[in-house]
Amino acid sequence: MTYLENYYPTNNDRVRENLGDVLDQMASILERIINLGANVREWVLQREEVDGPLIPFTLATLSDVLSKADSIRLLIYEGSGESAKIILRSLYDLAMQFEWAYQMGSDDGFSAYFINSWLKELKSLERFDQTTKLGAQLKNESMEGDTLRTSAMDLIPTDELETRRNELDQKLANDTNSAIAEQLVSNKYQHWYQINGGPSSMRELSRRLKHLGTYEFLYRYYSDSVHASNSSWNILKTQSGIAFKPERRPENISQVFFVSCTMVMQVLGQISSRLLDQHQSVHLSYEYIAHIRSHMYRLRDVSLSYHVQ
């Protein structure tokens, strides 16, 4: 029997050898945008005079945006465009929710985002807790005979579940926008943005925000990667037989880079228009125009290719 030693890094190293300079530039520009976002977050944190859920919502979602963008940056650096698409799809979802909440312009949207996340976590905790009816049902029925099931239910102590559940119940009790909680629960909404006659799906949300084209040609297209329905793309027929693409594949990486940069900058722009002072807004615009924009468009048009061995 023949064993393939050191096969895994062979094609992956070749991607970095051939495309490393461009990948480095892309990662560097995205890192600059992330650092700019971190500055914006600090500026928002200083706005103590703003009451209500606007500041907590902005800080929480911006932190998530920057975290996802940084993960994409790391994957771009390694030339792994296929995996980066999965995170970019999540970033798109978050950016659309952020824009909708800001467009609503009221505390209802900001509160609904948090309340919905608490309600969903409470439901998850109920599923994990074997002392609840739902938890016991899942353990005794749904997981019976499942050889791949994790032992997560057994690893989380019941007292920890109870503590977290009490914390969430207290948050819901202290939230002043009880009408939003009632609306979410009574209508069994899947998404927080359905409140007050809002859209019922990401597609409809994208349409109302005038991003339907991006939804159709990025979000929906990337679903193949998210739902693992494109494995056939990993193999190619060549004159000598079958060849395998590198595990870190740079296809679509220019698009992933450009859209990621654009989405983060759009979120920062929305924050700027609402929460930053004139000096901070001017600094944000200057950094983008002087150090980011031209590189974004230049690297967007770079054609990346590699040879399959």
Side-chain angles (χ1 to χ4, degrees):
M1 180 177 292
T2 301
Y3 293 92
L4 297 177
E5 295 184 359
N6 299 324
Y7 164 75
Y8 178 75
T10 303
N11 278 334
N12 292 327
D13 287 350
R14 190 169 292 114
V15 170
R16 281 289 306 169
E17 290 172 4
N18 294 340
L19 307 174
D21 181 59
V22 174
L23 298 176
D24 290 347
Q25 292 180 54
M26 290 181 176
S28 177
I29 293 301
L30 190 49
E31 182 177 28
R32 186 160 196 147
I33 292 175
I34 293 167
N35 289 335
L36 189 58
N39 287 334
V40 170
R41 183 172 56 189
E42 289 300 313
W43 293 335
V44 173
L45 192 59
Q46 298 168 10
R47 293 291 304 271
E48 298 177 352
E49 75 279 9
V50 180
D51 296 324
L54 169 60
I55 297 297
F57 169 83
T58 301
L59 293 173
T61 49
L62 176 56
S63 293
D64 201 2
V65 165
L66 299 180
S67 175
K68 294 181 190 305
D70 191 51
S71 296
I72 293 172
R73 178 189 65 82
L74 293 171
L75 289 169
I76 287 176
Y77 176 83
E78 293 294 346
S80 188
E82 184 64 24
S83 297
K85 286 162 55 176
I86 298 174
I87 304 177
L88 176 55
R89 189 177 185 270
S90 179
L91 177 60
Y92 173 87
D93 197 320
L94 180 59
M96 294 303 100
Q97 293 185 59
F98 185 93
E99 184 172 345
W100 181 257
Y102 261 54
Q103 183 169 292
M104 286 181 68
S106 69
D107 286 353
D108 283 358
F110 307 130
S111 294
Y113 179 87
F114 285 118
I115 294 171
N116 192 55
S117 68
W118 298 336
L119 291 172
K120 284 187 174 183
E121 187 177 353
L122 279 170
K123 194 65 175 179
S124 296
L125 293 175
E126 183 183 359
R127 296 164 68 89
F128 277 108
D129 189 349
Q130 299 172 39
T131 65
T132 67
K133 181 178 179 180
L134 178 58
Q137 179 182 351
L138 286 173
K139 183 174 178 61
N140 297 327
E141 297 179 7
S142 300
M143 295 185 180
E144 184 177 355
D146 184 358
T147 58
L148 296 178
R149 81 174 182 90
T150 66
S151 58
M153 292 184 71
D154 302 320
L155 292 175
I156 304 177
T158 301
D159 58 342
E160 291 186 13
L161 293 171
E162 185 66 24
T163 298
R164 179 56 180 164
R165 198 158 45 223
N166 290 336
E167 291 175 355
L168 292 170
D169 286 336
Q170 191 63 43
K171 285 184 177 182
L172 288 169
N174 292 337
D175 193 280
T176 58
N177 209 331
S178 59
I180 293 299
E182 175 63 26
Q183 190 178 161
L184 288 167
V185 173
S186 62
N187 291 287
K188 297 181 179 180
Y189 285 148
Q190 293 295 313
H191 312 288
W192 69 266
Y193 46 78
Q194 291 178 257
I195 65 166
N196 301 339
S200 59
S201 67
M202 179 52 60
R203 187 182 192 280
E204 178 61 17
L205 175 61
S206 300
R207 187 189 68 80
R208 294 202 192 183
L209 291 173
K210 302 187 185 304
H211 295 304
L212 186 57
T214 306
Y215 172 88
E216 291 291 348
F217 295 104
L218 184 146
Y219 187 85
R220 176 171 286 185
Y221 174 62
Y222 285 2
S223 293
D224 288 338
S225 297
V226 173
H227 300 296
S229 59
N230 60 352
S231 296
S232 61
W233 297 353
N234 290 306
I235 57 176
L236 296 172
K237 288 185 177 180
T238 66
Q239 293 181 348
S240 58
I242 291 179
F244 299 94
K245 292 183 179 180
E247 285 75 18
R248 302 171 195 162
R249 305 205 304 272
E251 289 107 334
N252 300 310
I253 207 164
S254 296
Q255 180 189 58
V256 169
F257 161 76
F258 184 80
V259 176
S260 299
C261 293
T262 301
M263 284 186 184
V264 178
M265 289 306 307
Q266 285 182 347
V267 168
L268 298 182
Q270 290 157 16
I271 296 173
S272 174
S273 64
R274 184 152 189 164
L275 290 174
L276 302 189
D277 61 32
Q278 184 177 4
H279 175 75
Q280 293 164 342
S281 295
V282 169
H283 176 78
L284 179 66
S285 298
Y286 172 79
E287 283 294 316
Y288 173 67
I289 295 172
H291 302 295
I292 295 172
R293 184 174 60 182
S294 63
H295 298 293
M296 278 177 53
Y297 282 89
R298 174 178 59 83
L299 292 169
R300 179 197 63 176
D301 298 328
V302 171
S303 177
L304 299 180
S305 61
Y306 60 93
H307 300 289
V308 177
Q309 300 296 317

